[in-house]
Amino acid sequence: MRRHLNLLSNEPAETLLYTPEPARTAHIMTESFIIDARWIIPVVPARTCLLDHAIVVRAGRIESIQPSQGARADNPDLTAVNLPTHTVIPGLINAHGHAAMTLLRGYADDRELMDWLENHIWPAEARHVSPAFSYDGTTLAVAEMIRTGTTFAVDSYWFPDETAKAYADNHFRAQVCMPLIQFPNAWAKTEDEHLQKAAELHEQYRNHSLVRTAIAPHAPYTVTDDGFIKAKEQSLQYNVPIHLHLHETRGECEDALKDSGKRPFKRIDELGLMDHHLQTVHMTQLTENEIATLASSGAHVVHCPESNLKLASGFCPVGGLLDAGVNVCVGTDSAASNNNLDMIEELRTAALLAKGTALDPTTVDAHTALELATINGARMLGMADEIGSLEPGKAADLVAIDMAAINFQPMHDPVSQVVYASSGHQVSDVWISGKRLLDEGQFTQLDEVALRQRVQAWLERMQA
Amino acid sequence: MRRHLNLLSNEPAETLLYTPEPARTAHIMTESFIIDARWIIPVVPARTCLLDHAIVVRAGRIESIQPSQGARADNPDLTAVNLPTHTVIPGLINAHGHAAMTLLRGYADDRELMDWLENHIWPAEARHVSPAFSYDGTTLAVAEMIRTGTTFAVDSYWFPDETAKAYADNHFRAQVCMPLIQFPNAWAKTEDEHLQKAAELHEQYRNHSLVRTAIAPHAPYTVTDDGFIKAKEQSLQYNVPIHLHLHETRGECEDALKDSGKRPFKRIDELGLMDHHLQTVHMTQLTENEIATLASSGAHVVHCPESNLKLASGFCPVGGLLDAGVNVCVGTDSAASNNNLDMIEELRTAALLAKGTALDPTTVDAHTALELATINGARMLGMADEIGSLEPGKAADLVAIDMAAINFQPMHDPVSQVVYASSGHQVSDVWISGKRLLDEGQFTQLDEVALRQRVQAWLERMQA
């Protein structure tokens, strides 16, 4: 929601405990190994589950997927990771969030939206958000995402230079969205200054192996027509996506109709933004005509089911969008309105809610739910050749879930078990670009003790 | 849904691997200890979270809850369980399920209801359900429920003598519902035979410390008026509840209206069943008048949000029911339509869905969500003096969640973290009547290896 209307204070918050760890991820493309797994769900080809197969990874990329028998003999130079009771899936793609707001998890719940924002979230942000807040909060989110099987985050927040650094320092993939908003704040004072800073950060990360950028005009009600037009120009200039909160609530549509005579969707379309570069988030209010326009334009929809439920924003018509051919992805939104970043939980909620609202239990089946959180995300990012499925040539972004737990018995169907029966907390191992970030539930790179100390310091400061 | 229309075969299924373990829970009332916890959410008194308090347990009952400081000195004879990073909540009450169907978890998903039942679930049950299936499936469910923080299950299934034995053998609390259905099946041939067998089992368990019984006419469309009247008589005779699927789908109401001129709710009311003994399950179709009748009658509603979503049954108006003063509880339904028995996940889904459908984010706040799954369940069971909250004199049914995990940071609000941020898989310890059944995530009583072997044998048989 209107989370970006928060830093109305112009005073820079003082820096607190801002001691980023040195990057430990220098050798990211040299990872080679074999994973020998009981089950593999590659997502592409669709509706497939492989039994007793091996994934051969060389230099961080999937070289082949072949039956386990013979795989080690064929690759005598590689060490093997045995996952005898596990299912391996592609790393999950969290298509919308505000990672640093994880520091505000549980800070204020169960409130009317404007009460929540005006009396709780925005004042807290005005007091505390700083470069260090963005860096530490993003690192906290990265830790939770690694722990629960996510390998890519789409993120919009203040001080995107710091959030980008947090992702890069932790060897985590991200699309860092450069905020654009007409109100002055601690990051920038005018729309033009936002765009200037965005351009600088685009330049800085344009060749980064893990972190990409996008331009993120916040929402129709917080960005001018001029801002949207310039955002579109910048998007074309840098060939980067536009990420936009759109039609999150009925009130947003009604207010715009009253003030301008048109729904926000129509305004965005008329401004020329409705194409495959556009990532629209929430979309709980959609007419049949708007769905058809989305489909023909190639614009993407990010569905955030738990945030939409928790804030009582409305229901995104996921089944209807998919039937129309729209590319639908899934995101958690921030931990302040969710309140976790567990994408396995989120994709299950997406599947269940799609059935319930469509009054059709065949809507968004288990395979489709997994696609929403993997290959569809990759398509939205323009990275379908790189991530989102387990295919030879793609990056080795891998997640293993240990199905030995009692809640997975009996194993009638591994795909059903992952989508409907599991929790992100049952993820055992995570690799990004072949680098193992989680090993049997333990972080291999991230300094959890230091992170906890920083988070605890933020808590004490916010409670003071 | 119509899960009980399944055993139309009259042939008794052969017994498979039916080797119940000897009961290991003889000394259930001799447990005395102190729990020293960082946070305690007692549920009663309402909206309370205690910091650094101790729970003194003697002979399986809560003797006192007092500040940690001094608690050990006051009770030098007791050993202490240190839970320095944990939140302790009352054991969760799963108010509706078919535990043995856990053996059918993931057996058939994402199908139209009648396709699912007629072509998958019922044929599988007709082939496989037996006393051993009921015992082993219930034991599997008990294992998952202990692992994820549930201490009481309301259960309806075939061979309730076997399910009751499975609960008792594993020192787990249950309301075992005696099925009543007009169609002949492997358990009984006529309504009268169902009632006769129910009476026998009532007698067997009437003084059991953990297992209680209820009479469960399946649904309005599977039980005759005569069956309902006799069920009510038996309910009064034994002073036990009536547990009934009611208004699960719109189709159920429309069919009844067409066939009989009245909605099922009206028929049940006219038959004299609508009082505080009645536990109505699902209730996705309710008029304002029906809600008022529920409230004035004292009948209870069990909300099964994930099953209702997965089967696309409709939405129970939880906020409206609570506003009217109806006692609302939460259940998972069976793992064949959920597909897990994680009550922490279920109560979060209940809270989120209530907000979303009411279009009001203040509906079912975190404290209320926890009440639905604890004290409200105890009220429905007529056990509000015994379980459902952490109060002196009540049984020590306790669940600890380790909040040290990264997804609980920062700890702004422990109640919010339990309801909105956690998973049942983060439960560390479980006690029922003071007996520790889960110790740092490990079963203390249940023979997990033997259970897995039995479940694997069932899987192989079902896949043959």
Side-chain angles (χ1 to χ4, degrees):
Chain A
M1 198 43 207
R2 311 181 190 194
R3 292 181 192 88
H4 288 189
L5 285 173
N6 40 18
L7 275 183
L8 299 180
S9 157
N10 289 339
E11 297 171 73
E14 70 183 276
T15 297
L16 172 77
L17 277 168
Y18 182 38
T19 53
E21 304 297 314
R24 309 183 196 184
T25 56
H27 311 296
I28 65 172
M29 297 305 285
T30 61
E31 308 290 344
S32 303
F33 52 92
I34 296 179
I35 285 178
D36 198 346
R38 180 66 169 156
W39 296 281
I40 295 170
I41 305 171
V43 176
V44 178
R47 300 180 177 277
T48 302
C49 184
L50 305 169
L51 181 70
D52 291 331
H53 272 61
I55 304 172
V56 179
V57 175
R58 287 188 186 273
R61 289 197 176 272
I62 298 169
E63 182 177 86
S64 67
I65 300 178
Q66 59 189 97
S68 292
Q69 198 167 21
R72 296 187 198 202
D74 292 350
N75 299 277
D77 57 318
L78 299 186
T79 57
V81 179
N82 288 317
L83 300 175
T85 58
H86 301 63
T87 297
V88 177
I89 62 173
L92 299 172
I93 297 172
N94 187 343
H96 180 70
H98 312 277
M101 291 181 78
T102 307
L103 287 172
L104 297 171
R105 184 208 313 274
Y107 181 79
D109 296 304
D110 306 317
R111 290 175 163 83
E112 292 285 356
L113 185 61
M114 293 318 294
D115 173 30
W116 181 63
L117 291 173
E118 293 178 355
N119 299 322
H120 299 276
I121 296 297
W122 295 343
E125 290 188 325
R127 274 197 305 278
H128 300 294
V129 173
S130 65
F133 183 99
S134 289
Y135 186 90
D136 290 343
T138 302
T139 306
L140 175 61
V142 166
E144 183 181 353
M145 288 192 282
I146 292 171
R147 183 63 196 83
T148 54
T150 291
T151 57
F152 194 115
V154 175
D155 184 18
S156 299
Y157 205 61
W158 306 110
F159 303 105
D161 50 342
E162 294 296 328
T163 66
K165 187 168 186 311
Y167 288 114
D169 286 352
N170 288 290
H171 191 66
F172 197 86
R173 289 190 195 272
Q175 173 187 287
V176 172
C177 301
M178 312 291 122
L180 169 60
I181 196 161
Q182 62 179 304
F183 305 106
N185 54 70
W187 170 244
K189 303 288 173 261
T190 64
E191 288 186 335
D192 283 344
E193 189 185 352
H194 283 92
L195 289 162
Q196 176 57 37
K197 286 191 150 183
E200 290 164 11
L201 216 57
H202 287 312
E203 288 294 347
Q204 188 180 340
Y205 281 92
R206 66 187 311 162
N207 293 314
H208 197 278
S209 62
L210 296 170
V211 175
R212 305 156 66 89
T213 59
I215 177 81
H218 168 255
Y221 51 87
T222 54
V223 176
T224 68
D225 281 358
D226 185 56
F228 276 117
I229 291 165
K230 287 177 176 165
K232 180 67 190 172
E233 289 168 0
Q234 197 168 84
S235 157
L236 291 172
Q237 180 186 350
Y238 289 92
N239 192 29
V240 297
I242 293 179
H243 191 76
L244 174 68
H245 297 88
L246 189 61
H247 287 206
E248 181 168 1
T249 64
R250 179 181 298 195
E252 173 190 337
C253 295
E254 290 174 348
D255 289 351
L257 203 57
K258 202 173 76 177
D259 294 346
S260 70
K262 65 180 82 162
R263 284 160 68 88
F265 186 106
K266 189 175 184 197
R267 175 172 163 230
I268 297 303
D269 192 16
E270 288 176 353
L271 286 168
L273 273 71
M274 200 63 72
D275 63 22
H276 70 284
H277 275 291
L278 185 64
Q279 305 169 352
T280 64
V281 184
H282 296 309
M283 293 298 230
T284 72
Q285 313 294 318
L286 284 172
T287 65
E288 287 300 316
N289 281 344
E290 288 166 346
I291 292 174
T293 301
L294 277 170
S296 61
S297 71
H300 312 270
V301 170
V302 183
H303 175 42
C304 301
E306 296 197 348
S307 174
N308 291 163
L309 287 171
K310 186 155 181 279
L311 297 172
S313 301
F315 300 93
C316 177
V318 172
L321 287 165
L322 292 173
D323 288 345
V326 177
N327 185 50
V328 179
C329 314
V330 172
T332 57
D333 209 340
S334 90
S337 64
N338 187 302
N339 293 354
N340 61 61
L341 305 177
D342 181 343
M343 276 292 290
I344 291 181
E345 179 184 307
E346 201 76 26
L347 71 89
R348 174 174 49 246
T349 302
L352 295 179
L353 194 62
K355 298 171 194 302
T357 53
L359 290 177
D360 177 357
T362 70
T363 303
V364 185
D365 65 14
H367 282 280
T368 303
L370 208 48
E371 289 170 2
L372 300 185
T374 55
I375 190 66
N376 287 18
R379 288 189 187 118
M380 179 185 88
L381 297 163
M383 297 177 73
D385 291 338
E386 180 73 6
I387 58 173
S389 62
L390 305 183
E391 294 177 89
K394 285 197 173 181
D397 290 10
L398 311 170
V399 168
I401 302 165
D402 189 351
M403 317 301 276
I406 202 72
N407 63 300
F408 293 123
Q409 311 315 315
M411 279 294 284
H412 286 293
D413 179 350
V415 180
S416 168
Q417 304 290 45
V418 167
V419 172
Y420 294 125
S422 73
S423 155
H425 294 281
Q426 300 188 284
V427 166
S428 60
D429 298 85
V430 173
W431 291 262
I432 293 181
S433 204
K435 187 161 194 74
R436 194 176 198 162
L437 301 184
L438 193 74
D439 184 346
E440 296 187 11
Q442 302 301 313
F443 296 111
T444 61
Q445 306 290 315
L446 192 138
D447 186 341
E448 196 177 348
V449 173
L451 173 60
R452 282 167 183 285
Q453 288 170 345
R454 298 204 301 276
V455 172
Q456 184 62 26
W458 281 110
L459 176 64
E460 287 165 13
R461 192 173 191 218
M462 286 188 270
Q463 289 181 337
Chain B
M1 195 43 207
R2 314 182 186 192
R3 287 179 197 89
H4 288 188
L5 286 173
N6 39 20
L7 275 183
L8 299 180
S9 158
N10 288 342
E11 297 170 74
E14 71 182 277
T15 297
L16 172 77
L17 275 171
Y18 182 39
T19 54
E21 304 296 313
R24 310 185 197 183
T25 55
H27 312 295
I28 66 174
M29 296 306 285
T30 61
E31 307 290 343
S32 302
F33 52 91
I34 295 178
I35 285 177
D36 199 346
R38 182 63 170 159
W39 297 281
I40 296 170
I41 306 171
V43 176
V44 178
R47 299 178 179 277
T48 303
C49 183
L50 305 169
L51 182 69
D52 292 332
H53 271 61
I55 303 172
V56 180
V57 175
R58 287 188 186 271
R61 290 197 176 273
I62 298 169
E63 182 178 87
S64 67
I65 300 177
Q66 58 189 95
S68 293
Q69 198 167 21
R72 295 187 199 203
D74 293 348
N75 299 277
D77 58 319
L78 299 185
T79 56
V81 178
N82 288 317
L83 300 175
T85 58
H86 301 63
T87 298
V88 178
I89 62 173
L92 300 172
I93 296 172
N94 186 343
H96 180 69
H98 311 278
M101 291 181 77
T102 307
L103 287 173
L104 297 171
R105 184 208 313 275
Y107 181 78
D109 297 303
D110 306 316
R111 289 174 165 84
E112 293 286 354
L113 185 60
M114 294 318 294
D115 172 29
W116 180 64
L117 291 173
E118 293 178 355
N119 300 321
H120 300 277
I121 296 298
W122 294 343
E125 290 189 325
R127 274 196 306 279
H128 299 295
V129 172
S130 65
F133 183 99
S134 289
Y135 186 90
D136 289 343
T138 302
T139 306
L140 175 62
V142 166
E144 182 180 351
M145 289 192 282
I146 293 171
R147 183 63 196 83
T148 54
T150 292
T151 57
F152 194 116
V154 175
D155 184 17
S156 299
Y157 204 62
W158 306 110
F159 304 105
D161 50 342
E162 293 296 325
T163 66
K165 188 169 185 310
Y167 289 114
D169 287 351
N170 288 291
H171 191 68
F172 197 87
R173 289 190 195 271
Q175 173 187 287
V176 173
C177 301
M178 311 293 120
L180 168 60
I181 195 161
Q182 62 179 304
F183 304 106
N185 55 70
W187 170 242
K189 302 291 173 259
T190 63
E191 287 186 336
D192 283 345
E193 189 186 351
H194 283 92
L195 289 162
Q196 177 57 35
K197 285 191 148 181
E200 290 163 13
L201 215 58
H202 287 313
E203 288 295 346
Q204 188 181 339
Y205 281 93
R206 68 187 307 162
N207 293 314
H208 197 279
S209 62
L210 296 170
V211 175
R212 305 156 66 89
T213 59
I215 177 79
H218 168 256
Y221 51 88
T222 54
V223 177
T224 68
D225 282 359
D226 185 57
F228 276 118
I229 290 165
K230 288 177 175 166
K232 180 67 190 174
E233 288 168 3
Q234 197 169 83
S235 157
L236 291 171
Q237 181 185 351
Y238 289 92
N239 192 29
V240 296
I242 292 178
H243 190 77
L244 173 69
H245 297 89
L246 188 61
H247 287 205
E248 180 168 0
T249 64
R250 179 181 297 194
E252 174 191 337
C253 296
E254 290 174 345
D255 290 350
L257 202 57
K258 202 173 76 176
D259 295 346
S260 70
K262 66 181 81 161
R263 284 160 68 88
F265 186 105
K266 189 174 184 200
R267 176 172 161 229
I268 297 302
D269 193 15
E270 288 176 353
L271 287 168
L273 273 71
M274 201 62 74
D275 63 22
H276 70 283
H277 274 292
L278 185 66
Q279 306 170 351
T280 64
V281 184
H282 296 309
M283 293 298 230
T284 72
Q285 314 293 317
L286 284 171
T287 65
E288 287 301 316
N289 280 343
E290 288 166 344
I291 291 175
T293 301
L294 278 171
S296 61
S297 71
H300 312 269
V301 170
V302 182
H303 175 43
C304 301
E306 296 198 349
S307 173
N308 291 163
L309 288 171
K310 187 154 180 281
L311 296 173
S313 301
F315 300 92
C316 177
V318 173
L321 287 166
L322 292 172
D323 288 346
V326 177
N327 185 52
V328 179
C329 315
V330 172
T332 57
D333 209 339
S334 90
S337 64
N338 188 301
N339 294 352
N340 61 60
L341 305 177
D342 181 343
M343 276 291 291
I344 290 182
E345 180 185 305
E346 201 76 27
L347 70 89
R348 173 173 51 246
T349 302
L352 296 179
L353 194 62
K355 299 171 193 301
T357 54
L359 292 176
D360 178 357
T362 70
T363 302
V364 184
D365 64 14
H367 282 280
T368 303
L370 207 48
E371 289 170 0
L372 300 186
T374 55
I375 191 65
N376 287 18
R379 287 187 188 120
M380 178 184 88
L381 298 162
M383 297 177 72
D385 292 338
E386 180 72 6
I387 58 173
S389 62
L390 306 182
E391 295 177 90
K394 285 198 173 182
D397 289 11
L398 311 170
V399 168
I401 301 165
D402 189 350
M403 316 301 276
I406 203 74
N407 63 299
F408 293 122
Q409 312 315 315
M411 280 293 286
H412 285 293
D413 178 349
V415 181
S416 168
Q417 304 290 44
V418 167
V419 172
Y420 294 125
S422 74
S423 155
H425 294 280
Q426 300 188 284
V427 166
S428 61
D429 298 86
V430 173
W431 291 261
I432 294 180
S433 202
K435 185 161 197 72
R436 194 176 197 162
L437 301 185
L438 194 74
D439 183 346
E440 296 187 13
Q442 302 301 310
F443 297 112
T444 61
Q445 305 290 315
L446 192 138
D447 185 341
E448 196 178 351
V449 173
L451 173 60
R452 283 167 184 284
Q453 287 171 344
R454 298 203 303 274
V455 172
Q456 184 63 26
W458 281 109
L459 176 64
E460 288 166 12
R461 193 172 189 219
M462 286 188 270
Q463 289 182 337

